[in-house]
Amino acid sequence: MMLGTLAQRGAPAQGTPAWVPDGADGFLDFVTGQYFAGGAERAIATLLGGDFDPAAISASGMRITPSNGNRPKAIGALLSDLTAGLAAGCTVLFDISSAIDPSGFLMFIGDDINLDLADEAIFANANGFLADYWDLSISDSISGSGLHKIAMTLARNVGGGNYEYAWCDDGGAAVTQTVNYLTHVSPVDTILFGHDGVGTGNSLNDIYIRSITLYPAKVPADLTALTA
């Protein structure tokens, strides 16, 4: 390995690599092919499974569209980090590139393998919608082809048995909602990216996911700068 490449990638044995964003608990950079979860740099095949297609990853990111069959599922250290994040409150940042107005399932968290079978679920749609099967329902406006950054805060404890959820995209103001429960998705069985596990109809539509970053739960005011 060239010395310059070694310096760029960092040394996992000595702590978090330098290329991981400050404060992040997990980072999947599909553009550079660098992946961090469970406190260490890892191969993508240990973090995404199911009908994940490694051939869908290129210098543009990880492409998901109805015709290419790439249907990734969080596994291993990534699944553990996300499950722990949901229990403690977390923020998930997606950096995407869309050929058209963003649409389709961006993330699905369920107590079963797909949207049809889950009794409980939290799901996010790339067109600006975050909801569960109970009271949570956040809507925002996101449109246009090109690059977009989308941040979602899930289950941030705000005291008194209340938990805040938030959606923010492209440097705008965060849209929030507080519910009086942590989550009904317990235990978490499945976390999917770019689809809901049911065929191709609800997958992302011609979108490259450039990166996914997991943070401890951020306050709404911080999401504006995070997505700018």
Side-chain angles (χ1 to χ4, degrees), residues 74-198:
I75 61 172
L78 178 62
L79 177 61
S80 296
D81 283 352
L82 288 166
T83 301
L86 181 61
C90 65
T91 294
V92 185
L93 173 67
F94 287 86
D95 182 355
I96 69 171
S97 177
S98 182
I100 55 176
D101 289 341
S103 64
F105 269 67
L106 191 59
M107 183 168 65
F108 167 86
I109 302 170
D111 63 359
D112 211 325
I113 60 173
N114 61 43
L115 183 70
D116 284 353
L117 296 177
D119 291 321
E120 303 292 349
I122 299 170
F123 52 89
N125 193 292
N127 67 2
F129 185 58
L130 176 64
D132 66 6
Y133 288 174
W134 290 73
D135 297 328
L136 178 66
S137 182
I138 292 176
S139 296
D140 198 12
S141 176
I142 178 171
S143 62
S145 61
L147 300 178
H148 296 279
K149 289 185 178 180
I150 298 167
M152 292 168 285
T153 294
L154 308 176
R156 186 175 76 90
N157 191 338
V158 293
N162 296 312
Y163 297 86
E164 181 183 74
Y165 289 73
W167 171 287
C168 183
D169 59 76
D170 298 334
V175 180
T176 68
Q177 183 180 344
T178 298
V179 298
N180 61 356
Y181 52 87
L182 172 57
T183 175
H184 291 286
V185 186
S186 182
V188 173
D189 177 87
T190 299
I191 299 179
L192 307 174
F193 300 112
H195 66 114
D196 63 1
V198 184

Side-chain angles (χ1 to χ4, degrees), residues 14-119:
Q14 297 176 2
T16 303
W19 44 264
V20 176
D22 289 345
D25 292 329
F27 183 51
L28 276 60
D29 190 335
F30 298 105
V31 173
T32 65
Q34 296 171 306
Y35 310 103
F36 178 83
E41 184 174 1
R42 301 182 188 273
I44 191 60
T46 70
L47 303 178
L48 294 180
D51 292 323
F52 164 58
D53 180 7
I57 298 176
S58 69
S60 298
M62 179 175 67
R63 186 169 185 255
I64 299 178
T65 196
S67 62
N68 78 345
N70 181 32
R71 303 292 178 264
K73 171 184 176 178
I75 61 172
L78 178 62
L79 177 61
S80 296
D81 283 352
L82 288 166
T83 301
L86 181 61
C90 65
T91 294
V92 185
L93 173 67
F94 287 86
D95 182 355
I96 69 171
S97 177
S98 182
I100 55 176
D101 289 341
S103 64
F105 269 67
L106 191 59
M107 183 168 65
F108 167 86
I109 302 170
D111 63 359
D112 211 325
I113 60 173
N114 61 43
L115 183 70
D116 284 353
L117 296 177
D119 291 321

